[in-house]
């Protein structure tokens, strides 16, 4: 079953308006224009679509919150700032099927009575930016966006906004600050963006993949959608497979697929012997080979002590030194910490320092305990999700591969000969 | 600068124009000069320190003109697993510079960058806005040599 990649996976599909219309594009918008706001929101709610950005918040509920708010104007903001290492799913939609996103945003705007939408796209996604820009022009020219869309009394325009290389802007409140022309640093929540969002107005903030489900839900009905995949989070999901796997790529699969099926049936099996797997990028906790039977939905992965996040599945084989991998994760977060709150700003640097020392044979016996303590402090006291999960992968490596750390620290030796101890 | 005037008009001289302006300046001049920063501050009604503060927060805005070709090598985990460390070593050897430094002829600079969203084609690097995928040491040598000749 394909919902998100149904067009992209067709041969010779170009993603321009002509192709999109040929595949039934903008029919959902036409249908939505004849529906009441309540009816659209009811369909999205009954689909039980969960936000695909990582948090898994019910999409319909979010729309309803904004719909009921009295503040005007209201905004639809699309988060196209995927930056979690290992995530490359939204890029596919942005580059190859941009109209799908525009149509979904227009449906959302119609539901919550908004006339203005914004797409915040990563600065690094040059191609995605170009293709969206072209698509917006096409849609405006053909009255799928703009004033009095398709002869109705509904008007909606979409502006494109480029990020400039800050991972933290993928966090929704940091993204809003960045959109307002400020440094991308998180806000205190609550209030949530649904109530106090862009320019302090009620705002729906959805991920690209979440929105890309909307046209199918409007056309097929919420109930149809809710019966697909796992009952806890229905529908399909884009899984990004990378690392030590034979066929890396983006795979759209029903959410009741297991990790094993994803790696073996789609990914052609691991490259080497599996040592560890990150199911949700470098912010998630490591799973092991014994966890391969886990269902790839938010709830099941959480029960295994990790998180699905954006669906960035990174496979790591047994030639990799987990201390080295943990160090790499720490370096990433130390670089990307925005500096607003002390626990994350200082903690990520400290973690990087400790892990670097361990890899060069300068680790000390108390370092593991110190890292665990750091993880707890960051989890409890950081302002936003970036800080809270910055040391999660490292912590799980410490717990699942204690021998490796011990040998680096006590014997000053990397068992796999990867680190320069 | 014509582009700036237009952006300011689109955003009605609101603060939201700041990032688009900084992008436009970067594209045209390769860096944000003090003169341009002062101009932006004046046009947007912001203290110059605020313009500096925002510009320095984002890694894509620069204050010094770097090189003609800026090579960004992805060092995130998926690329790292697929050997970005070796690629970086080849780059350093070919260009005889370290990360963050500019070559004496001002033609090349190497930077480590965060995930470029092409993890299925790792390792990946950018030369200005052009992306090179599935890199091997040999491929990198060829790419660098072709730029050297330009």
């Amino acid at each position: 079953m394909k919902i998100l990649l149904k067009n992209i996976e067709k041969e010779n599909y170009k993603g321009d308006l002509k192709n999109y219309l040929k595949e039934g594009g903008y029919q959902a918008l036409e249908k939505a224009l004849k529906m009441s706001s309540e009816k659209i929101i009811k369909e999205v709610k009954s689909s039980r679509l969960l936000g695909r950005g990582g948090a898994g918040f019910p999409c319909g509920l979010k729309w309803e919150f904004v719909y009921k708010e009295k503040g005007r104007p209201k905004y639809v903001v699309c988060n196209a700032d995927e930056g979690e290492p290992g995530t490359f799913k939204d890029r596919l939609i942005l580059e190859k099927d941009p109209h799908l996103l525009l149509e979904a945003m227009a449906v959302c705007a119609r539901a919550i009575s908004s006339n203005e939408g914004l797409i915040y796209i990563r600065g690094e996604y040059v191609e995605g930016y170009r293709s969206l820009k072209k698509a917006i022009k096409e849609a405006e020219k053909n009255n799928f966006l703009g004033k009095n869309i398709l002869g109705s009394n509904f008007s909606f325009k979409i502006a494109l906004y480029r990020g400039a290389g800050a991972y933290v802007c993928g966090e929704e409140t940091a993204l809003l600050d960045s959109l307002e022309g400020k440094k991308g640093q998180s806000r205190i929540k609550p209030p949530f963006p649904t109530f106090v969002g862009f320019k302090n107005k009620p705002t729906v903030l959805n991920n690209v993949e979440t929105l890309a489900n909307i046209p199918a839900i409007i056309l097929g009905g919420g109930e149809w959608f809710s019966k697909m995949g796992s009952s806890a989070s229905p529908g399909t999901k884009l899984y990004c497979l990378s690392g030590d796997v034979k066929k890396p790529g983006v795979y759209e699969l029903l959410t009741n697929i297991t990790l094993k099926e994803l790696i073996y049936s789609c990914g052609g099996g691991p490259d080497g012997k599996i040592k560890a797997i990150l199911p949700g990028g470098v912010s998630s906790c490591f799973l092991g080979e014994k966890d391969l039977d886990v269902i790839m939905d938010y709830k099941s992965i959480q029960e295994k002590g990790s998180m699905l996040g954006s669906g960035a599945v990174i496979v790591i084989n047994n030639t990799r030194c987990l201390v080295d991998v943990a160090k790499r994760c720490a370096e990433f977060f130390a670089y990307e910490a925005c500096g607003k709150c002390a626990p994350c700003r200082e903690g990520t640097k400290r973690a990087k320092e400790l892990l670097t020392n361990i890899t060069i044979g300068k680790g000390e016996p108390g370092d593991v305990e110190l890292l665990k303590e750091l993880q707890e402090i960051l989890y409890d006291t950081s302002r936003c999700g970036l800080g809270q999960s910055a040391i999660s992968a490292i912590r799980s490596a410490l717990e699942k591969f204690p021998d490796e750390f011990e040998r680096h620290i006590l014997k000053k030796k990397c068992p796999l000969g990867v680190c320069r101890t | 600068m014509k582009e700036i005037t237009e952006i300011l008009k689109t955003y009605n001289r609101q603060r939201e124009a700041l990032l688009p302006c900084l992008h436009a300046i970067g594209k045209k001049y390769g860096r944000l000069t003090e003169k341009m920063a002062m101009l932006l501050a004046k046009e947007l009604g912001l203290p110059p320190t605020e313009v500096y503060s925002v510009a320095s927060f984002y890694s894509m805005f620069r204050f010094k003109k770097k090189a003609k070709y800026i090579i960004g090598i992805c060092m995130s985990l998926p690329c790292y697993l697929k050997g970005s460390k070796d690629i970086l070593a080849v780059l350093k050897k070919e260009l005889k510079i370290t990360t963050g430094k500019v070559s004496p002829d001002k033609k090349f600079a190497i930077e480590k960058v965060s995930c470029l969203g092409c993890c299925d084609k790792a390792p990946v690097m950018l030369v200005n806005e052009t992306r090179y995928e599935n890199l091997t040491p040999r491929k990198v040598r060829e790419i660098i040599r072709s730029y050297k000749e330009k």
Side-chain angles (χ1 to χ4, degrees):
Chain A
M1 183 66 213
K2 300 281 155 129
I3 293 171
L4 307 154
L5 305 182
K6 75 173 170 56
N7 295 339
I8 294 173
E9 289 189 350
K10 279 204 179 94
E11 237 178 288
N12 300 325
Y13 182 76
K14 292 213 174 56
D16 56 354
L17 185 62
K18 204 174 126 199
N19 271 263
Y20 187 64
L21 289 173
K22 214 171 104 194
E23 301 299 337
Y26 287 106
Q27 283 178 11
L29 177 60
E30 264 182 67
K31 188 173 171 187
L33 288 172
K34 293 181 195 117
M35 290 161 78
S36 66
S37 292
E38 289 88 351
K39 180 84 177 75
I40 299 173
I41 290 169
K42 208 183 127 216
E43 287 298 339
V44 179
K45 270 176 88 177
S46 70
S47 75
R48 292 188 292 121
L49 170 67
L50 301 183
R52 301 291 198 240
F57 190 80
C59 179
L61 204 58
K62 204 182 246 184
W63 289 20
E64 192 177 52
F65 284 152
V66 178
Y67 171 66
K68 286 186 174 160
E69 275 298 293
K70 292 205 171 63
R72 292 285 186 283
K74 292 174 179 177
Y75 295 99
V76 180
V77 176
C78 171
N79 183 345
D81 192 55
E82 64 173 356
E84 180 73 29
T87 314
F88 44 104
K89 61 185 177 68
D90 294 344
R91 182 171 63 85
L92 210 62
I93 297 171
L94 298 169
E95 287 178 4
K96 306 241 163 84
D97 208 5
H99 282 286
L100 182 64
L101 180 61
L102 303 184
E103 179 176 13
M105 285 179 75
V107 172
C108 174
R110 161 83 193 160
I112 63 158
S113 307
S114 158
N115 301 111
E116 217 180 317
L118 299 112
I119 301 173
Y120 186 92
I121 182 169
R122 285 188 71 184
E124 290 86 348
Y125 282 6
V126 182
E127 227 177 295
Y129 177 77
R130 282 194 203 119
S131 99
L132 271 173
K133 203 169 163 184
K134 185 176 152 245
I136 290 172
K137 264 200 187 133
E138 278 182 324
E140 279 171 353
K141 207 174 150 200
N142 291 278
N143 201 221
F144 293 112
L145 287 176
K147 281 197 179 123
N148 299 99
I149 293 174
L150 302 174
S152 69
N153 58 4
F154 167 63
S155 302
F156 181 58
K157 61 174 182 183
I158 295 179
L160 253 182
Y161 206 88
R162 282 183 77 194
Y167 166 77
V168 69
C169 291
E171 197 278 334
E172 55 179 10
T173 59
L175 184 147
L176 290 171
D177 265 21
S178 185
L179 270 179
E180 291 174 5
K182 301 173 187 159
K183 286 185 279 189
Q185 291 180 319
S186 63
R187 302 175 180 173
I188 298 272
K189 286 193 280 193
F192 290 93
T194 41
F195 310 111
V196 181
F198 182 57
K199 293 198 204 168
N200 294 335
K201 297 293 179 192
T203 304
V204 166
L205 220 163
N206 278 148
N207 171 263
V208 174
E209 187 189 346
T210 315
L211 285 164
N213 281 291
I214 298 298
I217 290 170
I218 297 299
L219 290 173
E223 211 180 303
W224 159 79
F225 187 90
S226 73
K227 288 188 180 128
M228 280 186 291
S230 118
S231 61
S233 54
T236 62
K237 169 96 192 73
L238 297 178
Y239 298 102
C240 314
L241 202 52
S242 69
D244 296 316
V245 62
K246 291 211 174 90
K247 284 195 290 179
V250 178
Y251 297 99
E252 178 177 7
L253 302 160
L254 290 167
T255 45
N256 57 0
I257 191 144
T258 63
L259 182 54
K260 194 174 188 171
E261 286 173 280
L262 172 67
I263 294 173
Y264 285 86
S265 308
C266 301
D271 198 359
K273 195 178 174 311
I274 295 179
K275 182 176 193 174
I277 300 153
L278 285 169
V282 296
S283 306
S284 64
C285 295
F286 287 100
L287 296 177
E289 207 176 2
K290 62 172 184 14
D291 301 314
L292 278 174
D293 289 320
V294 68
I295 303 278
M296 293 296 284
D297 69 13
Y298 297 97
K299 197 168 145 248
S300 311
I301 298 205
Q302 204 169 10
E303 282 164 6
K304 288 274 179 199
S306 189
M307 65 167 194
L308 179 60
S310 53
V313 181
I314 307 174
V315 182
I316 295 161
N317 74 19
N318 64 357
T319 65
R320 314 289 179 196
C321 168
L322 251 290
V323 182
D324 185 50
V325 169
K327 185 189 93 178
R328 192 58 236 138
C329 296
E331 284 171 345
F332 173 75
F333 284 107
Y335 179 74
E336 291 292 354
C338 81
K340 182 92 176 178
C341 73
C344 176
R345 182 182 65 227
E346 304 303 327
T348 49
K349 284 195 179 61
R350 243 350 238 138
K352 178 183 150 185
E353 233 170 69
L354 286 167
L355 284 160
T356 308
N357 282 341
I358 296 173
T359 55
I360 57 172
K362 287 186 182 158
E364 280 169 32
D367 286 355
V368 168
E369 286 315 307
L370 215 53
L371 278 167
K372 284 184 183 169
E373 202 182 316
L374 262 180
Q375 187 271 329
E376 276 157 30
I377 293 169
L378 261 73
Y379 185 79
D380 288 338
T381 61
S382 295
R383 246 170 103 99
C384 77
L386 183 146
Q388 286 155 20
S389 58
I391 308 191
S392 303
I394 296 164
R395 168 97 195 223
S396 69
L398 292 170
E399 276 163 4
K400 289 198 168 143
F401 303 92
D403 303 353
E404 258 178 66
F405 285 88
E406 206 167 282
R407 287 186 65 177
H408 278 81
I409 295 169
L410 299 178
K411 305 225 165 97
K412 314 278 177 211
K413 198 169 164 53
C414 175
L416 291 158
V418 177
C419 308
R420 284 173 299 164
T421 46
Chain B
M1 195 177 146
K2 210 179 88 206
E3 289 95 327
I4 298 293
T5 325
E6 232 154 73
I7 294 168
L8 289 171
K9 214 172 102 194
T10 313
Y11 289 91
N12 211 4
R13 271 169 213 279
Q14 295 289 301
R15 173 167 193 160
E16 292 101 89
L18 186 50
L19 260 69
C21 284
L22 290 171
H23 270 299
I25 292 169
K27 193 161 183 189
K28 186 149 185 185
Y29 300 108
R31 70 178 183 123
L32 177 67
T33 58
E34 198 180 317
K35 204 176 131 201
M36 287 309 282
M38 295 301 274
L39 176 87
L40 277 184
K42 198 176 142 216
E43 292 287 345
L44 295 168
L46 293 170
T49 50
E50 188 61 25
V51 173
Y52 178 78
S53 153
V54 172
S56 60
F57 179 82
Y58 297 94
S59 65
M60 287 174 82
F61 303 134
R62 304 165 207 283
F63 297 98
K64 275 190 192 144
K65 179 143 187 170
K66 276 218 136 156
K68 188 172 173 197
Y69 300 113
I70 297 170
I71 302 168
I73 168 94
C74 175
M75 292 304 277
S76 288
L77 189 58
C79 278
Y80 184 74
L81 292 174
K82 290 285 165 193
S84 59
K85 218 157 80 176
D86 301 336
I87 303 298
L88 182 63
V90 173
L91 284 173
K92 284 181 178 168
K93 203 177 153 203
E94 280 291 313
L95 299 169
K96 298 184 185 69
I97 44 170
T98 51
T99 5
K101 290 278 176 326
V102 183
S103 64
D105 60 356
K106 302 257 191 289
K107 205 165 170 187
F108 293 98
I110 309 174
E111 280 180 356
K112 287 184 191 174
V113 296
S114 292
C115 189
L116 297 169
C118 307
C119 322
D120 52 341
K121 298 181 182 79
V124 180
M125 69 175 190
L126 282 178
V127 180
N128 292 343
E129 289 192 344
T130 314
R131 196 166 65 210
Y132 295 92
E133 300 163 342
N134 292 317
L135 295 170
T136 57
R138 201 176 141 190
K139 228 166 146 177
V140 174
R141 264 180 232 118
E142 278 165 21
I143 295 165
I144 295 305
R145 276 168 204 170
S146 76
Y147 276 99
K148 275 183 179 168
E149 281 158 20
K150 274 186 194 175

